[in-house]
């Protein structure tokens, strides 16, 4: 068993940020990552046209701002370059291809036992750590719902994490299920490449452009709660909903114009499928070549974290709501589960390092 003070599972932005904050306090730590690279969600499971929806001022990791010369809304490629620079600048050395299979708390020894598989060699590695940081994030596994008749659909079915570009869908009938930012972006991209695109929209949501969000984020830094002075905020504003439910408003006017022009058709909830025919809630039936599910992700922390009840619920998410989500007893922490993007990651990592240093 290899002993270390802090073991971090996950080398995405969250794990890297925690490792860097710990190292700044001279706290030894090891980062384990199941993939062969850092930030695999960005490198392997993101579509080509992706850009950060929040301005770069709100998307920096601790101790390193984005370059002043970079665009306000950073493209995927540039964000990956930022991650690479972050790792190089601070000498972070994740141990890649380490698939964590089990983590349990040893009550009698007051430490965590973590078992990992070195996937190239298939050798088992065992670590002992006083502190364990779960940094696998909210977006570990793509979610595709069980729908009646889905298994009989003869076209291509993918999760949004597998989507790269609309160039392979020209002149095809494509259904996008999910109306968050990924679903809307993918629909827009498909339409731009000549796909005949439909999107399923079930619930109401706010639509803002990036500039509106930028201004709102800036204002939120200075706009305090004035309820005690008799000034009440609207009950259903986009930023209040973001705070209350962690749901992000849909960003981007271009996609809405496509919907308004009927280039992207909006359809209600799916009832069932008959082969490649999809039946919707309003009894409308349409045949599709391909379906892309953009209904988000699920945490996989509970798959390997055997004593997850210390900090996680049965869905692999923190038991306590933000901002109290990041810490529980017995030396376990989680980073990157606040649904606040890079800003939340920065707050989590600084808080975790500071708490361990006490």
């Amino acid at each position: 068993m290899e002993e270390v003070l802090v073991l971090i599972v996950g080398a995405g932005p969250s794990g890297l940020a925690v490792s860097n904050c710990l190292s700044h306090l001279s706290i030894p730590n090891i980062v384990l990552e199941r993939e062969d690279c850092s930030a695999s969600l960005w490198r392997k499971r993101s579509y080509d046209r992706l850009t950060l929806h929040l301005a770069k001022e709100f998307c920096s990791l601790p101790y390193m701002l984005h370059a002043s010369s970079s665009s306000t809304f950073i493209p995927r490629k540039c964000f990956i370059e930022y991650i690479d620079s972050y790792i190089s600048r601070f000498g972070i050395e994740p141990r890649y291809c380490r698939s964590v299979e089990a983590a349990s708390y040893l009550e009698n020894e007051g430490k965590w036992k973590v078992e990992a598989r070195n996937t190239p060699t298939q050798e088992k590695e065992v670590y002992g750590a006083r502190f364990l940081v779960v940094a696998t994030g909210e977006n570990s596994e793509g979610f595709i719902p069980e729908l009646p008749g889905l298994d009989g659909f003869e076209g291509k079915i993918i999760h949004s994490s597998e989507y790269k570009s609309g160039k392979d869908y020209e002149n095809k009938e494509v259904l996008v299920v999910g109306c968050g930012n990924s679903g809307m972006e993918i629909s827009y991209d498909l339409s731009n490449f000549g796909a005949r695109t439909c999107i399923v929209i079930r619930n109401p949501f706010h639509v803002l452009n990036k500039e509106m969000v930028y201004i709102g984020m800036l204002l939120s830094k200075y706009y305090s709660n004035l309820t005690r002075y008799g000034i009440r905020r609207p009950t259903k504003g986009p930023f209040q909903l973001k705070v209350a439910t962690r749901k992000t408003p849909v960003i981007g006017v271009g996609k809405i114009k496509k919907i308004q022009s009927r280039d992207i058709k909006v359809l209600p909830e799916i009832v069932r499928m008959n082969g490649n025919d999809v039946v919707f809630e309003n009894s409308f039936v349409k045949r599709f070549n391909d379906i892309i599910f953009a209904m988000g992700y699920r945490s996989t922390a509970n798959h390997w974290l055997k004593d997850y009840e210390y900090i996680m619920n049965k869905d692999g998410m923190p038991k306590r709501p933000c901002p109290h989500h990041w810490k529980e007893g017995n030396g376990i922490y989680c980073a990157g589960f606040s649904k606040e993007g890079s800003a939340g990651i920065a707050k989590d990592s600084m808080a975790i390092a500071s708490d361990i240093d006490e």
Side-chain angles (χ1 to χ4, degrees):
M1 180 183 291
E2 182 176 355
E3 300 285 346
V4 65
L5 186 62
V6 186
L7 187 73
I8 302 164
V9 182
S14 300
L16 299 174
V18 172
S19 178
N20 188 26
C21 289
L22 290 168
S23 296
H24 266 75
L25 297 172
S26 300
I27 299 173
N29 63 90
I30 292 174
V31 182
L32 301 182
E33 168 58 49
R34 68 179 178 181
E35 300 285 348
D36 60 358
C37 62
S38 63
S40 62
L41 182 66
W42 287 87
R43 298 180 198 273
K44 298 182 177 183
R45 294 181 285 161
S46 297
Y47 45 91
D48 293 345
R49 74 184 308 273
L50 176 66
T51 62
L52 296 180
H53 291 126
L54 300 182
K56 62 184 178 183
E57 290 95 321
F58 303 99
C59 295
S60 296
L61 299 181
Y63 303 109
M64 183 173 156
L65 298 176
H66 289 282
S68 58
S69 58
S70 60
S71 57
T72 301
F73 300 101
I74 297 173
R76 168 181 171 269
K77 180 181 177 182
C78 295
F79 187 73
I80 292 172
E81 291 172 352
Y82 170 81
I83 291 293
D84 288 338
S85 297
Y86 194 82
I87 291 172
S88 175
R89 178 173 171 179
F90 298 112
I92 306 170
E93 298 181 345
R95 297 186 183 182
Y96 298 118
C97 301
R98 264 62 171 200
S99 179
V100 174
E101 297 179 342
S104 303
Y105 185 65
L106 306 179
E107 292 272 0
N108 58 330
E109 298 182 39
K111 68 181 180 182
W112 289 87
K113 177 185 176 183
V114 179
E115 301 173 33
R117 183 74 58 184
N118 185 324
T119 52
T121 66
Q122 284 300 302
E123 293 179 354
K124 183 179 178 180
E125 299 175 350
V126 181
Y127 300 84
R130 171 64 186 89
F131 301 101
L132 176 65
V133 180
V134 181
T136 48
E138 307 154 337
N139 302 327
S140 298
E141 182 178 74
F143 172 63
I144 294 180
E146 294 181 5
L147 294 171
L150 183 62
D151 56 351
F153 186 81
E154 297 178 356
K156 187 177 182 181
I157 298 173
I158 66 169
H159 184 262
S160 57
S161 60
E162 300 176 70
Y163 179 87
K164 292 298 180 184
S165 168
K167 63 185 178 182
D168 297 327
Y169 296 88
E170 185 177 359
N171 295 320
K172 289 187 175 183
E173 299 283 350
V174 186
L175 177 64
V176 178
V177 184
C179 59
N181 279 302
S182 292
M184 296 292 277
E185 286 272 0
I186 288 171
S187 299
Y188 182 70
D189 193 53
L190 287 165
S191 180
N192 285 343
F193 277 97
R196 294 185 289 276
T197 311
C198 295
I199 184 170
V200 173
I201 296 180
R202 300 182 301 167
N203 301 313
F205 54 84
H206 287 285
V207 178
L208 305 173
N209 62 34
K210 289 183 178 180
E211 288 70 26
M212 292 165 67
V213 172
Y214 183 27
I215 293 170
M217 293 288 286
L218 290 174
L219 289 174
S220 68
K221 292 174 65 176
Y222 306 104
Y223 179 48
S224 59
N225 190 335
L226 303 176
T227 304
R228 58 179 172 162
Y229 301 108
I231 300 174
R232 294 179 292 116
R233 295 181 182 177
T235 59
K236 297 183 180 180
F239 292 102
Q240 190 170 13
L241 281 177
K242 170 67 175 173
V243 171
T245 67
R246 304 295 164 193
K247 292 183 179 180
T248 303
V250 170
I251 301 170
V253 175
K255 301 95 172 174
I256 302 304
K257 288 181 178 179
K258 286 271 188 180
I259 289 173
Q260 291 171 330
S261 67
R262 301 295 192 271
D263 288 331
I264 299 174
K265 295 180 175 61
V266 174
L267 296 173
E269 189 167 359
I270 296 171
V271 175
R272 66 182 180 278
M273 298 179 184
N274 297 321
N276 280 40
D277 291 335
V278 182
V279 183
F280 296 90
E281 211 172 37
N282 59 358
S283 300
F284 178 71
V285 181
K286 185 172 176 61
R287 176 170 287 261
F288 291 95
N289 300 113
D290 302 290
I291 301 177
I292 300 169
F293 285 94
M295 299 180 69
Y297 295 80
R298 285 179 170 175
S299 165
T300 59
N302 288 7
H303 295 181
W304 54 268
L305 186 58
K306 304 307 178 184
D307 291 329
Y308 71 84
E309 69 275 3
Y310 284 123
I311 196 165
M312 301 290 190
N313 60 27
K314 60 182 178 62
D315 296 319
M317 296 296 289
K319 289 195 301 186
R320 295 204 289 170
C322 183
H324 309 292
H325 62 286
W326 57 275
K327 176 188 177 182
E328 282 295 345
N330 296 322
I332 189 169
Y333 302 87
C334 62
F337 287 84
S338 67
K339 296 187 181 295
E340 292 185 347
S342 298
I345 289 171
K347 287 190 288 187
D348 286 352
S349 55
M350 296 290 281
I352 290 169
S354 177
D355 195 72
I356 291 174
D357 189 48
E358 289 182 355

